[in-house]
């Protein structure tokens, strides 16, 4: 007979489920890598570029969605970030773009912030990308988000650092999203 208060063995007593508990093991490993990268870079928060870097390094489906040469260019820009490219970002908080005074006609609508249990130590834009990834998984009826969900979530956050890196590497957000949604049509 099981107690109604039993917990998963990996969760300590008093653990409150949060967004990070709704990730596949692969995506949880990506987040752990992003957390290590942020700490190593001396950043207070995981930002979208940390997440993108960890995704590209660790997930073959993400590299396939980006495309071989584009994935290599994205990774090259991310590596440059750690040796100087991203110094203008160092010590700054990445915004989600959730508060926009004049979005203009070409700018997509900003994403609403995710569930009330935002993970601590994440930039607002990274929280928005994680929320979009979790929402994408829910629309498929899956309880956990996958790495491609997070890649789609990153692409959906306007003006975030990951989107800036993708743009510099020649990755079009709309085409990337289409490749994620329809992997059989990848070029």
């Amino acid at each position: 007979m099981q107690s109604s208060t039993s917990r998963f063995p990996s969760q300590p007593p008093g653990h409150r489920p949060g967004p990070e508990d709704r990730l596949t093991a692969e995506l949880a490993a990506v987040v752990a890598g992003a957390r290590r990268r942020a700490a190593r870079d001396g950043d207070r928060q995981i930002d979208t570029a940390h997440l993108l870097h960890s995704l590209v390094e660790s997930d073959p489906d993400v590299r396939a969605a980006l495309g071989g040469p584009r994935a290599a260019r994205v990774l090259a820009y991310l590596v440059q970030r750690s040796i100087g490219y991203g110094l203008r970002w160092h010590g700054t908080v990445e915004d989600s773009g959730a508060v926009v005074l004049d979005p203009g006609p070409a700018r997509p609508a900003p994403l609403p912030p995710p569930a009330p249990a935002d993970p601590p130590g994440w930039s607002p834009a990274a929280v928005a990308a994680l929320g979009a990834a979790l929402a994408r998984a829910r629309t498929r009826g899956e309880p956990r988000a996958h790495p491609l969900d997070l890649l789609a979530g990153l692409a959906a956050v306007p003006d975030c650092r990951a989107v800036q890196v993708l743009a510099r590497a020649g990755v079009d957000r709309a085409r990337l999203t289409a490749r994620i949604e329809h992997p059989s049509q990848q070029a």
Side-chain angles (χ1 to χ4, degrees):
M1 181 173 189
Q2 280 190 338
S3 163
S4 62
T5 60
S6 65
R7 301 189 184 288
F8 293 107
S10 63
Q11 295 177 348
H15 173 77
R16 293 184 56 194
E20 289 188 64
D21 293 323
R22 295 181 289 186
L23 310 178
T24 61
E26 296 84 7
L27 188 50
V30 164
V31 169
R35 185 173 284 114
R36 285 189 301 274
R37 184 169 310 287
R40 187 174 47 240
D41 291 348
D43 294 330
R44 295 183 334 229
Q45 297 181 322
I46 296 171
D47 68 25
T48 59
H50 295 124
L51 292 168
L52 180 62
H53 198 154
S54 192
L55 277 170
V56 174
E57 281 186 334
S58 63
D59 194 81
D61 292 334
V62 166
R63 290 189 298 274
L66 290 169
R70 285 185 302 264
R73 281 194 302 267
V74 167
L75 194 54
Y77 277 110
L78 290 163
V79 168
Q80 287 177 13
R81 174 195 179 180
S82 39
I83 58 172
Y85 168 70
L87 285 179
R88 63 188 164 88
W89 293 336
H90 189 72
T92 62
V93 174
E94 179 182 39
D95 188 14
S96 67
V99 178
V100 178
L101 296 176
D102 180 15
R107 187 172 183 161
L111 296 172
D118 290 351
W122 288 57
S123 73
V127 170
L130 179 61
L134 294 170
R136 188 175 185 272
R138 277 193 308 272
T139 62
R140 288 193 318 274
E142 294 187 27
R144 298 188 185 281
H146 297 266
L148 282 176
D149 294 324
L150 183 56
L151 182 61
L154 291 170
V157 178
D159 302 325
C160 72
R161 293 174 183 171
V163 166
Q164 291 173 22
V165 170
L166 290 170
R168 284 189 146 237
V171 176
D172 179 84
R173 288 181 356 172
R175 287 184 180 155
L176 175 61
T177 301
R179 283 192 301 271
I180 293 168
E181 294 298 326
H182 308 288
S184 62
Q185 298 173 7
Q186 289 183 23

